Amino acid sequence: MKIGIVCYPTFGGSGVVATELGMALADKGHEVHFITYNQPVRLDFFTHNLHFHEVLLEEYPLFQYQPYELALSSKMVEVVEKHQLEVLHVHYAIPHAYAAYMAKRMLQEKGLDIKVVTTLHGTDITLVGSHPTYKSAVEFSINNSDVVTAVSKSLKEHTLRLFNITNDIKVVYNFIDTEKYDKAQETECNRISIAKPEERIVTHVSNFRPVKRTEDVIKIFYEIQKEVPSKLLMVGDGPERMNAEMLVAKLGIEERVIFLGNSNEVAKILCYTDVFLLPSETESFGLAALEAMAASSAVISTNTGGLPEVNIHGKTGYLSNLGDVNDMAKNAITILKDDAILEVFKANAKAHTKLFSLENILPVYEELYKSCSVSA
Ligand code: GMT
C-alpha cells in the first residue's frame, strides 16, 4: 500500500513509534511517505521505499505564530495527490489529526478519498488535548478520523472519560523490534566500559519533562546506591535535566551518575542495564520501559496510566504509587541485591516483550489500513 505518516520527528515516544512503524512497513514492501517538519531522528534512509517530505513554514511579519497546521494540511494534499497515497496515518492528535481532517476535506473537493488513521499516544489526551484550549478540536478530529487507535487500554478509557467520543477506539499497543535488542546484547554489550564487575547498572531514559519526575529517579537511586554498589545512567535531555544534575551534586553522588544526553544508541546502552527506573506522573504506555525489558532489564515504575499493562508487578519488576520513592527504592534493592532474583526478573521482563513484538503488532496496523480502504 501507499501510506503517509505524520508525526513529531523528535526523540518523543510517538515519533519513535511512528518512525519504527514506517521503516517496518517499508521493509515489508509498502511505499511509505513521512510528512514532518524535520527528518525523524530514528529514520534510516537505507530502507527501501521510504520518502521524506519536509513541511516548510513561510515567515510573514503579521504572523506572531506561524500557521503550522495550514502548511501541514497543504503538504499532505500535495503528497497524497502526487504519490496517490491510500492512507494517512497521523501520530499524536495535536495538531496532526485536525490537519489530516482538513487535508481529507480538501482532497474530497478534488474527487480523492484519503483515509485517515489517528493514533492517540498519551499526552495529546491526558495533559494537552483535554485542556479547554484544544478540547473541541481534538474531540472533533478523533470523531472524524476513519480509524482511531490508542496505545493502551488505559489510554482508551481515559479518552472515553475526557471526551464525548462517538467513534470506535481500537487498542494497538506500542511495539518493539525484539531482534534489534537481542543483537545488541549478543554483539555489542561492553558493560565493563560503564561499571566495575561488582556494580549494578540502573538506567533512566526520557525527554526529561516534568511528567517524567527525573528528580524522583535521582532520589530512588540515592537510596539504592547506599545498599548496592551501582551506577545510574541518565539518558535523554529536556527541561528538567539541570534540576536533576543539581540534585545529584547536592546529594554528593556525581561519581555514580552519568548523564549521557540524547542518544540514537538506546539498545546498546540498555544492554548494560539491570534495573530501569520510570517513576512517571502518567504514562499512557511507557515505550521506554518496553525497550528496557527487551534488553532484559527489570522495571521499577509507578502504577499510573498504562504502565500496569506493560510492567507486571512482582514478575517483570514492581509498581508503586506516584511519588513513593522509598517503596520504589526498596523494590529495586530487593531485585538488585540478589543475583538469582535479578536473573529471574530479567528473564521474565524479556519474555513478556514477546506480546509487544513487531511481528505481532505490524499486521494489526496493516489490517486496519486495508479495512478502511476497502470500506471506501
Ligand atoms: O512524553 C513522552 O514520553 C513522549 C510522548 C510522545 O507522544 O511523544 O510519549 C507518549 O507516547 C509514547 C508512545 O506511544 C508512550 O509510550 C508514552 O507512554 C507516552 N507518554 C506519556 O503518556 C507521558
Side-chain angles (χ1 to χ4, degrees), residues 12-14 17 92 121-123 151 174 207 209 212 282-287:
S14 59
V17 168
Y92 208 88
H121 279 273
T123 50
V151 298
N174 283 176
N207 46 25
R209 282 195 270 138
K212 302 293 174 179
T282 174
E283 203 66 68
S284 66
F285 180 91
L287 179 64

mmCIF file of all heavy atoms in Angstrom, residues 12-14 17 92 121-123 151 174 207 209 212 282-287, ligand 1:
data_model
loop_
_atom_site.group_PDB
_atom_site.id
_atom_site.type_symbol
_atom_site.label_atom_id
_atom_site.label_comp_id
_atom_site.label_asym_id
_atom_site.label_seq_id
_atom_site.Cartn_x
_atom_site.Cartn_y
_atom_site.Cartn_z
ATOM 1 N N GLY A 12 10.687 11.942 21.241
ATOM 2 C CA GLY A 12 9.479 11.537 21.989
ATOM 3 C C GLY A 12 8.962 10.190 21.518
ATOM 4 O O GLY A 12 9.198 9.783 20.376
ATOM 5 N N GLY A 13 8.242 9.485 22.403
ATOM 6 C CA GLY A 13 7.768 8.132 22.111
ATOM 7 C C GLY A 13 6.907 8.034 20.869
ATOM 8 O O GLY A 13 7.026 7.081 20.097
ATOM 9 N N SER A 14 6.032 9.042 20.644
ATOM 10 C CA SER A 14 5.131 8.938 19.490
ATOM 11 C C SER A 14 5.928 8.989 18.182
ATOM 12 O O SER A 14 5.631 8.264 17.230
ATOM 13 C CB SER A 14 4.076 10.042 19.522
ATOM 14 O OG SER A 14 4.684 11.310 19.507
ATOM 15 N N VAL A 17 7.705 5.561 17.735
ATOM 16 C CA VAL A 17 6.772 4.524 17.276
ATOM 17 C C VAL A 17 6.452 4.733 15.788
ATOM 18 O O VAL A 17 6.498 3.796 14.986
ATOM 19 C CB VAL A 17 5.465 4.535 18.119
ATOM 20 C CG1 VAL A 17 4.385 3.682 17.485
ATOM 21 C CG2 VAL A 17 5.751 4.056 19.535
ATOM 22 N N TYR A 92 -0.196 11.254 17.240
ATOM 23 C CA TYR A 92 -0.357 12.356 18.182
ATOM 24 C C TYR A 92 -1.438 13.281 17.621
ATOM 25 O O TYR A 92 -1.274 13.885 16.564
ATOM 26 C CB TYR A 92 0.957 13.127 18.389
ATOM 27 C CG TYR A 92 1.066 13.800 19.753
ATOM 28 C CD1 TYR A 92 1.585 13.109 20.850
ATOM 29 C CD2 TYR A 92 0.640 15.115 19.936
ATOM 30 C CE1 TYR A 92 1.695 13.721 22.088
ATOM 31 C CE2 TYR A 92 0.740 15.724 21.177
ATOM 32 C CZ TYR A 92 1.270 15.036 22.243
ATOM 33 O OH TYR A 92 1.384 15.637 23.473
ATOM 34 N N HIS A 121 -1.451 8.945 21.514
ATOM 35 C CA HIS A 121 -0.249 8.439 22.188
ATOM 36 C C HIS A 121 -0.204 8.699 23.680
ATOM 37 O O HIS A 121 0.518 8.011 24.396
ATOM 38 C CB HIS A 121 0.996 9.018 21.526
ATOM 39 C CG HIS A 121 1.369 8.283 20.282
ATOM 40 N ND1 HIS A 121 2.166 7.173 20.297
ATOM 41 C CD2 HIS A 121 1.015 8.482 18.994
ATOM 42 C CE1 HIS A 121 2.311 6.717 19.063
ATOM 43 N NE2 HIS A 121 1.612 7.494 18.247
ATOM 44 N N GLY A 122 -0.910 9.699 24.168
ATOM 45 C CA GLY A 122 -0.853 9.896 25.626
ATOM 46 C C GLY A 122 -1.073 11.335 26.017
ATOM 47 O O GLY A 122 -2.203 11.757 26.275
ATOM 48 N N THR A 123 0.009 12.116 26.004
ATOM 49 C CA THR A 123 -0.140 13.491 26.470
ATOM 50 C C THR A 123 -1.032 14.306 25.535
ATOM 51 O O THR A 123 -1.556 15.342 25.938
ATOM 52 C CB THR A 123 1.246 14.167 26.617
ATOM 53 O OG1 THR A 123 1.997 13.954 25.413
ATOM 54 C CG2 THR A 123 2.011 13.581 27.787
ATOM 55 N N VAL A 151 -2.751 3.604 22.398
ATOM 56 C CA VAL A 151 -1.625 2.696 22.627
ATOM 57 C C VAL A 151 -1.776 1.827 23.885
ATOM 58 O O VAL A 151 -0.880 1.022 24.175
ATOM 59 C CB VAL A 151 -0.271 3.443 22.645
ATOM 60 C CG1 VAL A 151 0.011 4.107 21.316
ATOM 61 C CG2 VAL A 151 -0.205 4.460 23.795
ATOM 62 N N ASN A 174 2.063 -0.219 21.790
ATOM 63 C CA ASN A 174 3.417 0.087 21.273
ATOM 64 C C ASN A 174 4.106 -1.246 21.005
ATOM 65 O O ASN A 174 3.779 -2.263 21.623
ATOM 66 C CB ASN A 174 4.238 0.831 22.329
ATOM 67 C CG ASN A 174 3.891 2.304 22.483
ATOM 68 O OD1 ASN A 174 4.433 2.979 23.341
ATOM 69 N ND2 ASN A 174 2.994 2.809 21.656
ATOM 70 N N ASN A 207 12.600 12.193 28.030
ATOM 71 C CA ASN A 207 12.835 13.531 27.490
ATOM 72 C C ASN A 207 12.891 14.568 28.614
ATOM 73 O O ASN A 207 12.746 15.750 28.374
ATOM 74 C CB ASN A 207 11.756 13.890 26.458
ATOM 75 C CG ASN A 207 10.372 13.539 26.966
ATOM 76 O OD1 ASN A 207 10.140 13.476 28.175
ATOM 77 N ND2 ASN A 207 9.445 13.306 26.062
ATOM 78 N N ARG A 209 11.011 15.724 30.780
ATOM 79 C CA ARG A 209 9.937 16.685 31.009
ATOM 80 C C ARG A 209 9.400 16.466 32.425
ATOM 81 O O ARG A 209 9.596 15.389 32.998
ATOM 82 C CB ARG A 209 8.829 16.488 29.972
ATOM 83 C CG ARG A 209 9.230 17.113 28.639
ATOM 84 C CD ARG A 209 8.046 17.251 27.729
ATOM 85 N NE ARG A 209 7.882 16.068 26.903
ATOM 86 C CZ ARG A 209 6.706 15.502 26.634
ATOM 87 N NH1 ARG A 209 5.603 15.975 27.120
ATOM 88 N NH2 ARG A 209 6.645 14.452 25.864
ATOM 89 N N LYS A 212 7.988 13.184 33.732
ATOM 90 C CA LYS A 212 8.867 12.012 33.946
ATOM 91 C C LYS A 212 9.422 11.940 35.361
ATOM 92 O O LYS A 212 10.012 10.927 35.743
ATOM 93 C CB LYS A 212 10.038 12.024 32.946
ATOM 94 C CG LYS A 212 9.613 12.028 31.494
ATOM 95 C CD LYS A 212 8.947 10.724 31.116
ATOM 96 C CE LYS A 212 8.399 10.798 29.692
ATOM 97 N NZ LYS A 212 7.757 9.566 29.266
ATOM 98 N N THR A 282 2.445 10.259 34.808
ATOM 99 C CA THR A 282 1.500 9.499 33.988
ATOM 100 C C THR A 282 2.266 8.962 32.777
ATOM 101 O O THR A 282 3.264 9.542 32.359
ATOM 102 C CB THR A 282 0.303 10.373 33.531
ATOM 103 O OG1 THR A 282 -0.496 9.602 32.635
ATOM 104 C CG2 THR A 282 0.742 11.629 32.841
ATOM 105 N N GLU A 283 1.785 7.839 32.263
ATOM 106 C CA GLU A 283 2.479 7.206 31.135
ATOM 107 C C GLU A 283 1.410 6.377 30.428
ATOM 108 O O GLU A 283 0.905 5.404 30.991
ATOM 109 C CB GLU A 283 3.586 6.314 31.705
ATOM 110 C CG GLU A 283 4.727 6.003 30.798
ATOM 111 C CD GLU A 283 5.587 7.218 30.433
ATOM 112 O OE1 GLU A 283 6.270 7.770 31.288
ATOM 113 O OE2 GLU A 283 5.566 7.586 29.251
ATOM 114 N N SER A 284 1.033 6.779 29.217
ATOM 115 C CA SER A 284 -0.067 6.051 28.570
ATOM 116 C C SER A 284 0.318 4.602 28.292
ATOM 117 O O SER A 284 -0.515 3.701 28.334
ATOM 118 C CB SER A 284 -0.427 6.730 27.256
ATOM 119 O OG SER A 284 0.656 6.593 26.365
ATOM 120 N N PHE A 285 1.590 4.373 28.028
ATOM 121 C CA PHE A 285 2.086 3.020 27.779
ATOM 122 C C PHE A 285 3.435 2.840 28.482
ATOM 123 O O PHE A 285 3.599 1.986 29.349
ATOM 124 C CB PHE A 285 2.224 2.769 26.269
ATOM 125 C CG PHE A 285 2.729 1.394 25.939
ATOM 126 C CD1 PHE A 285 1.859 0.334 25.717
ATOM 127 C CD2 PHE A 285 4.099 1.145 25.845
ATOM 128 C CE1 PHE A 285 2.339 -0.940 25.437
ATOM 129 C CE2 PHE A 285 4.592 -0.114 25.557
ATOM 130 C CZ PHE A 285 3.705 -1.166 25.350
ATOM 131 N N GLY A 286 4.417 3.642 28.066
ATOM 132 C CA GLY A 286 5.763 3.527 28.644
ATOM 133 C C GLY A 286 6.695 2.782 27.706
ATOM 134 O O GLY A 286 7.290 1.769 28.078
ATOM 135 N N LEU A 287 6.837 3.318 26.489
ATOM 136 C CA LEU A 287 7.698 2.676 25.492
ATOM 137 C C LEU A 287 9.122 2.486 26.019
ATOM 138 O O LEU A 287 9.768 1.469 25.745
ATOM 139 C CB LEU A 287 7.713 3.525 24.208
ATOM 140 C CG LEU A 287 8.580 2.997 23.066
ATOM 141 C CD1 LEU A 287 8.060 1.646 22.565
ATOM 142 C CD2 LEU A 287 8.635 4.002 21.919
HETATM 143 O O1 GMT B 1 6.018 12.096 26.968
HETATM 144 C C1 GMT B 1 6.579 11.249 26.290
HETATM 145 O O2 GMT B 1 7.098 10.237 26.727
HETATM 146 C C2 GMT B 1 6.566 11.428 24.814
HETATM 147 C C3 GMT B 1 5.251 11.012 24.320
HETATM 148 C C4 GMT B 1 5.075 11.296 22.881
HETATM 149 O O3 GMT B 1 3.944 11.233 22.470
HETATM 150 O O4 GMT B 1 5.975 11.603 22.126
HETATM 151 O O5 GMT B 1 5.109 9.629 24.667
HETATM 152 C C5 GMT B 1 3.830 9.098 24.779
HETATM 153 O O6 GMT B 1 3.752 8.188 23.696
HETATM 154 C C6 GMT B 1 4.541 7.005 23.818
HETATM 155 C C7 GMT B 1 4.400 6.193 22.539
HETATM 156 O O7 GMT B 1 3.083 5.802 22.330
HETATM 157 C C8 GMT B 1 4.108 6.225 25.061
HETATM 158 O O8 GMT B 1 4.835 5.017 25.186
HETATM 159 C C9 GMT B 1 4.356 7.123 26.273
HETATM 160 O O9 GMT B 1 3.905 6.449 27.437
HETATM 161 C C10 GMT B 1 3.593 8.432 26.128
HETATM 162 N N1 GMT B 1 3.983 9.346 27.210
HETATM 163 C C11 GMT B 1 3.134 9.716 28.171
HETATM 164 O O10 GMT B 1 1.986 9.314 28.249
HETATM 165 C C12 GMT B 1 3.694 10.649 29.197
#
